[in-house]
Amino acid sequence: MTIPAHRIAFGEHLRELRRARGWTSQEAFAHHVGLDRTYISGIERSRRNPTLDIIVKLARGLEVSPSELLSTIEP
């Protein structure tokens, strides 16, 4: 299965933002946003394709706009 470039970019950017904001643990961040650690891991490894609701939840947990999470995706 080929993973789309936009999903890879999103996962990498999520990981960078999470770590930059002091969430070194996926588990702690997942608890903070109300998701399972394995789901966060799946997004960061580009295995999961999050819905808009999840993107908003992640953005709120990171205190950024949803557009900031999507900013690395090429048009």
Side-chain angles (χ1 to χ4, degrees), residues 9-21 44 72:
F10 182 86
E12 289 174 353
H13 191 52
L14 173 62
R15 181 181 299 114
E16 290 168 5
L17 288 172
R18 174 178 59 79
R19 289 178 176 167
R21 284 169 175 62
E44 290 186 358
T72 59

Side-chain angles (χ1 to χ4, degrees), residues 8 12-14 17-18 34 39 43-44 52 55 59-60 62-63 66 70 72:
I8 294 169
E12 289 174 353
H13 191 52
L14 173 62
L17 288 172
R18 174 178 59 79
Y39 192 77
I43 295 171
E44 290 186 358
L52 179 57
I55 291 169
R60 287 182 179 157
L62 293 167
E63 298 179 351
L70 299 168
T72 59

Side-chain angles (χ1 to χ4, degrees), residues 6-56:
H6 63 271
R7 201 183 303 172
I8 294 169
F10 182 86
E12 289 174 353
H13 191 52
L14 173 62
R15 181 181 299 114
E16 290 168 5
L17 288 172
R18 174 178 59 79
R19 289 178 176 167
R21 284 169 175 62
W23 296 101
T24 55
S25 160
Q26 285 179 341
E27 188 168 7
F29 179 66
H31 180 71
H32 173 69
V33 297
L35 297 171
D36 190 85
R37 183 207 54 83
T38 60
Y39 192 77
I40 298 294
S41 174
I43 295 171
E44 290 186 358
R45 291 180 303 114
S46 310
R47 302 289 185 223
R48 296 272 190 170
N49 188 17
T51 65
L52 179 57
D53 291 342
I54 297 297
I55 291 169
V56 169

